[in-house]
Amino acid sequence: MTFLLVAAVAALVTFVASRVVLALALRHGIHPPVRERDVHSRPTPRLGGVAMCLGVLGAFGVASLLPDFAGVFAEPIRIWTLLGAAIAICAVGVLDDLVDLDWMLKLGAQILVAAGVAVFAVQIVSLPVAGLTVPSSQMSIALSILVIVLVMNAVNFIDGLDGLVAGTTIIGAAAFWAYIWMISENFAQRNAYFSLASLITAIIIGVCVGFLPVNWHRARMFMGDGGALMLGLLTAASAIAVTGQIDLGTMGGRSQILPAFIPILLPLAILLLPLTDFALAVIRRVANGNSPFAADRKHLHHRLLDMGHSHLGAVLIFYAWTAVVSVGCLVFLIQPWWVAVGIMVGGFVVCAVLTAAPVSRRVWRTFLRVLHERRAARRGVRPSRLAATSSDRPGDHR
């Protein structure tokens, strides 16, 4: 009930703030023009990150009053650093949405914010594998900064469709919170339950749930860089915070060694599509002689639209991939490895079929048309041209 209360506060504050911010943005015309790479057709405010930031602050404020989180708030410097970092990166993102900052300035701000989090809040000091530790504090800080900046940009890169980031984040964060609960209940890792990681994860879920009503297709407001970068920052912070809290000795030794890797595997699995999109975008842009942060219309979600998926269909496919990977990782905790692998492979096959469905339909119709024309030619009859159907055309790209 404690986590539900915190998530509900985050959702309620975000939802109310979203309505207020949207009304103010529309009244004062605070929205950028539609760009060539955008998939929407009307000017839409990008200030959702402001409402989401208020939701984060409100939820942390309520959590500070709850006895269950007394241990979390016993180190106030960590909390103030995270909140300051969230506000700072949200402000950078909002400013970028409004005036289009130079990419080097934007990256420099991200590194600076990540450095503050790594030094004063959370950092990767050990891995949950036989007590393996990072050799030095400098390396720990550098590795933490790298992870935080990478995750922030990965989340930001897929923010191109209505409800895409909010929905995938809800699925991934819910899986991560379930992981924390499962290890606390089944592996006696009680220190991981009412922890900074579980608190951040619950707040992330609540914020995204509260924002989704105004961001669902057709979106009335986008979270913008401010919201996406802040979600990436908090997601990375929660994953780093839980790393090193797992005691392999209480998890059954080598026979249960795989669950010890989940703090590393699960965040990577949840961010598989964003990280893949990020890597492909950087390679593509650098190969073309452009900045790795130069915007284009070749992200994975753009490609799904170009394949023929509708806007909503492309979003649901991202949801499906995220759910399969996230749930598949959790199954490793409660089932033999071969069962978990089987479930993930089956899910991958289903997702692959759904992803390729528009292309498969076009190939099948082309095959039938060619077959019809050949049969007609053998009979000496001139075949009539098949009428194009709406499904032959790309889906709604707005």
Side-chain angles (χ1 to χ4, degrees):
M1 288 299 295
T2 303
F3 289 104
L4 184 60
L5 173 62
V6 172
V9 170
L12 179 61
V13 173
T14 302
F15 177 76
V16 174
S18 295
R19 299 286 179 168
V20 175
V21 171
L22 176 60
L24 292 174
L26 293 177
R27 180 181 303 174
H28 298 286
I30 307 176
H31 48 70
V34 178
R35 300 164 298 188
E36 183 179 352
R37 69 178 186 273
D38 290 331
V39 296
H40 62 283
S41 57
R42 62 183 181 184
T44 305
R46 300 177 181 273
L47 299 177
V50 175
M52 297 169 73
C53 188
L54 292 175
V56 170
L57 297 177
F60 265 103
V62 170
S64 68
L65 303 176
L66 301 176
D68 288 333
F69 294 113
V72 175
F73 289 89
E75 300 179 76
I77 185 64
R78 302 179 71 195
I79 303 301
W80 287 115
T81 298
L82 279 175
L83 294 181
I87 295 172
I89 202 63
C90 180
V92 170
V94 170
L95 190 60
D96 182 53
D97 285 325
L98 294 178
V99 301
D100 197 15
L101 298 175
D102 179 79
W103 73 269
M104 293 187 66
L105 179 62
K106 183 177 175 182
L107 179 60
Q110 293 174 9
I111 294 174
L112 185 62
V113 170
V117 173
V119 173
F120 297 106
V122 295
Q123 59 182 249
I124 302 173
V125 296
S126 64
L127 301 177
V129 183
L132 182 63
T133 59
V134 179
S136 66
S137 59
Q138 292 82 2
M139 183 177 295
S140 175
I141 292 173
L143 182 59
S144 301
I145 293 173
L146 176 63
V147 169
I148 293 171
V149 172
L150 180 63
V151 173
M152 282 196 294
N153 283 284
V155 173
N156 190 35
F157 269 43
I158 67 165
D159 184 25
L161 298 178
D162 300 344
L164 179 56
V165 170
T168 53
T169 300
I170 290 172
I171 295 171
F176 194 67
W177 190 92
Y179 161 74
I180 295 174
W181 178 82
M182 289 168 68
I183 62 171
S184 67
E185 291 294 318
N186 299 329
F187 297 102
Q189 305 284 332
R190 297 301 301 178
N191 62 321
Y193 192 48
F194 289 109
S195 63
L196 181 60
S198 59
L199 175 60
I200 295 175
T201 305
I203 292 174
I204 289 174
I205 295 172
V207 165
C208 291
V209 169
F211 181 68
L212 199 55
V214 298
N215 189 233
W216 191 250
H217 188 61
R218 302 176 182 259
R220 285 167 286 172
M221 183 165 62
F222 303 134
M223 68 174 63
D225 283 12
L229 291 174
M230 186 183 67
L231 283 182
L233 171 71
L234 295 176
T235 299
S238 64
I240 293 173
V242 81
T243 303
Q245 291 185 328
I246 311 303
D247 181 8
L248 184 61
T250 65
M251 301 179 75
R254 293 185 179 274
S255 63
Q256 294 292 332
I257 194 170
L258 184 58
F261 284 91
I262 301 298
I264 303 172
L265 296 179
L266 186 56
L268 291 176
I270 293 168
L271 294 168
L272 177 63
L273 291 177
L275 289 173
T276 301
D277 192 25
F278 176 77
L280 292 176
V282 170
I283 294 172
R284 178 178 66 247
R285 294 165 183 175
V286 171
N288 291 332
N290 299 322
S291 158
F293 294 92
D296 58 27
R297 198 187 180 282
K298 296 182 180 180
H299 290 289
L300 293 179
H301 52 271
H302 292 134
R303 296 181 185 276
L304 287 177
L305 294 177
D306 293 340
M307 287 173 62
H309 288 286
S310 67
H311 194 122
L312 180 59
V315 171
L316 294 179
I317 285 176
F318 268 92
Y319 287 1
W321 280 104
T322 303
V324 168
V325 175
S326 303
V327 174
C329 284
L330 291 179
V331 173
F332 279 102
L333 290 174
I334 57 178
Q335 294 293 335
W337 67 269
W338 54 271
V339 174
V341 170
I343 292 175
M344 292 188 73
V345 170
F348 287 156
V349 171
V350 172
C351 288
V353 171
L354 293 175
T355 302
V359 175
S360 301
R361 286 195 297 268
R362 289 198 294 270
V363 171
W364 177 247
R365 282 193 295 270
T366 301
F367 171 75
L368 292 179
R369 183 172 63 249
V370 171
L371 184 62
H372 173 71
E373 291 173 351
R374 288 183 177 179
R375 288 178 177 175
R378 285 198 296 267
R379 294 196 301 267
V381 179
R382 184 177 181 180
S384 59
R385 183 177 180 84
L386 298 181
T389 63
S390 59
S391 57
D392 287 322
R393 299 187 295 269
D396 180 10
H397 289 196
R398 292 174 292 179

